[in-house]
Amino acid sequence: MNPAIRTPRDEHRQMNTTAATTRIVLFGATTPSGDALLQQSLNDPSLELVVAGRRPQLNRPGVPFVPCDLRQPLQWPDPKGEGGETPQVWLSFAPIWELAPFLAALAAARPAALAAVRGVVACSSSSVITKRFATNSFDQALVRRLREAEELLERSCSALGLTNVVLAPTLIYGASGSYGDRNLSRLSRLMQRLPLLPVPALTGLRQPLHCSQLAAVTLSLARRLAAPSPSLQPPLPRQLAVGGDDTLSYGAMLERLRHTNGGGALLPLPPRLFYALAAPLLMLNPKQFEAVLRMGADLAGFTPAHQLLGGEPQPFPLLPLAR
Ligand SMILES: NC(=O)c1ccc[n+]([C@@H]2O[C@H](COP(=O)([O-])OP(=O)(O)OC[C@H]3O[C@@H](n4cnc5c(N)ncnc54)[C@H](OP(=O)(O)O)[C@@H]3O)[C@@H](O)[C@H]2O)c1
């Protein structure tokens, strides 16, 4: 085991663990999904969790921490010494455009550092699908960046013989520990400030995914990658666009948020009037204007989390929500 990531918890495990263990190296642990994954996996004796990031995770100080800036791949520690052979699965909730070049650089410069890695599950985004016909240059660049990173990760993993699953989650919401989303929570705060929030009377579909659901899906993939004979199992998808279990209109999603968190009423406006009123945004901020137009678009149809996890569908919103 690398001394840099050895803790009293490791000593304890070594004395008490008889089951085969897999080391889960978690990137992006300082996100709601990362925190939820740590929470869901801490009592599993077959998994050894290690957090790799620029700063320690606030809520789980007992989990071993490897300082890691994904922009500094050559500083990644070598897995020499006792325990260095423990099979690893890498999971990432960090931006895929940071993870993919990191892995590619490490594979090129120090492939031995990856010798114990069996597979990688990395988060991309459903934006790669939903924004592919965007007209503003910001979203076009985002789609390009996501796609190039997915392809680079795929190439690196296949050259290393690693199984690789790219998750493309949609609209992640909710809180875990002290980490909360920065999308639905913003809308919720806006509703709390305004007595009335104008929305188009007809809105498109959404499939919001709670951070705990994304964590559970990621963890179930990690467990499959860690299984003793993964080749005997059904092959894992290379790409998985995943959403929540409830498909509802954008307006209904806001209404349910308001019901849970409080706030002013929604003011449904005829869609053409609503978009006409938003038109000046086109000159000021084309990306924002296109985001307003997307309120009318159906951004759903992703695999619901419960189908991957085998449980009952969970209605929106799952708690806790970010404040
Ligand atoms: N939010 C959404 O609705 C949404 C939708 C679709 C897909 N996604 C994807 O889902 C994942 C989680 O999303 P999120 O919004 O919760 O988080 P995020 O803001 O996209 O990712 C932040 C995480 O990445 C880590 N990170 C960033 N740059 C790093 C670097 N150079 N070295 C090491 N770590 C680095 C951050 O660590 P630090 O603590 O060091 O900053 C933090 O843990 C991401 O992959 C995101 O692209 C998000």
Side-chain angles (χ1 to χ4, degrees), residues 27-34 52-57 65 67-72 92-99 102 122-127 142 146 167-173 179-184 209 211 214 242:
F27 299 87
T30 56
T31 59
S33 310
R54 292 180 294 190
R55 47 196 170 139
Q57 223 272 0
F65 173 65
C68 165
D69 182 343
L70 291 168
R71 297 194 176 177
Q72 306 291 336
S92 173
F93 296 115
I96 194 169
W97 57 82
E98 301 288 358
L99 180 80
F102 170 83
C123 257
S124 176
S125 168
S126 64
S127 295
L142 173 69
L146 287 167
L167 287 174
T170 183
L171 190 57
I172 305 167
Y173 74 96
Y179 299 97
D181 76 71
R182 293 184 307 262
N183 40 49
L184 287 197
L209 176 68
C211 56
L214 176 59
V242 57

Side-chain angles (χ1 to χ4, degrees), residues 152-192:
L152 177 61
L153 190 67
E154 169 78 40
R155 278 200 304 280
S156 302
C157 287
S158 97
L160 291 162
L162 304 182
T163 309
N164 168 36
V165 182
V166 169
L167 287 174
T170 183
L171 190 57
I172 305 167
Y173 74 96
S176 180
S178 52
Y179 299 97
D181 76 71
R182 293 184 307 262
N183 40 49
L184 287 197
S185 59
R186 281 186 182 149
L187 278 170
S188 192
R189 283 196 296 274
L190 186 65
M191 284 193 287
Q192 285 161 0

Side-chain angles (χ1 to χ4, degrees), residues 8-73:
R9 192 185 154 92
D10 289 313
E11 312 285 352
H12 176 81
R13 272 231 174 83
Q14 197 187 340
M15 285 187 289
N16 294 292
T17 304
T18 48
T21 54
T22 299
R23 179 166 299 163
I24 300 291
V25 180
L26 177 61
F27 299 87
T30 56
T31 59
S33 310
D35 187 80
L37 189 138
L38 288 172
Q39 195 176 9
Q40 291 170 18
S41 56
L42 282 179
N43 293 325
D44 183 339
S46 69
L47 302 178
E48 277 185 14
L49 268 293
V50 171
V51 161
R54 292 180 294 190
R55 47 196 170 139
Q57 223 272 0
L58 291 175
N59 307 317
R60 323 278 163 195
V63 178
F65 173 65
V66 188
C68 165
D69 182 343
L70 291 168
R71 297 194 176 177
Q72 306 291 336

Side-chain angles (χ1 to χ4, degrees), residues 114-306:
L114 297 165
V117 183
R118 299 286 173 268
V120 178
V121 181
C123 257
S124 176
S125 168
S126 64
S127 295
V128 79
I129 304 163
T130 56
K131 293 184 180 162
R132 68 190 186 285
F133 302 121
T135 56
N136 74 85
S137 55
F138 181 93
D139 287 338
Q140 288 169 343
L142 173 69
V143 171
R144 228 178 358 258
R145 198 152 45 135
L146 287 167
R147 190 172 290 144
E148 285 170 7
E150 288 183 6
E151 287 166 5
L152 177 61
L153 190 67
E154 169 78 40
R155 278 200 304 280
S156 302
C157 287
S158 97
L160 291 162
L162 304 182
T163 309
N164 168 36
V165 182
V166 169
L167 287 174
T170 183
L171 190 57
I172 305 167
Y173 74 96
S176 180
S178 52
Y179 299 97
D181 76 71
R182 293 184 307 262
N183 40 49
L184 287 197
S185 59
R186 281 186 182 149
L187 278 170
S188 192
R189 283 196 296 274
L190 186 65
M191 284 193 287
Q192 285 161 0
R193 278 201 303 271
L194 299 176
L196 278 177
L197 181 67
V199 288
L202 281 176
T203 52
L205 296 175
R206 294 294 183 275
Q207 213 183 329
L209 176 68
H210 194 268
C211 56
S212 64
Q213 295 178 297
L214 176 59
V217 167
T218 309
L219 199 53
S220 76
L221 292 168
R223 289 200 171 100
R224 284 182 63 185
L225 286 173
S229 309
S231 56
L232 299 179
Q233 305 208 17
L236 288 170
R238 286 278 166 85
Q239 285 200 319
L240 192 50
V242 57
D245 302 339
D246 226 350
T247 297
L248 69 176
S249 74
Y250 188 88
M253 182 177 78
L254 292 188
E255 198 54 75
R256 286 202 212 165
L257 263 187
R258 191 175 75 88
H259 191 255
T260 310
N261 272 355
L266 299 183
L267 174 65
L269 295 180
R272 289 184 194 189
L273 173 63
F274 180 86
Y275 295 122
L277 292 172
L281 259 183
L282 176 59
M283 298 306 291
L284 301 171
N285 187 335
K287 171 181 179 282
Q288 204 60 50
F289 179 67
E290 213 162 325
V292 169
L293 286 183
R294 270 198 302 276
M295 288 167 85
D298 288 342
L299 309 180
F302 308 109
T303 306
H306 81 96

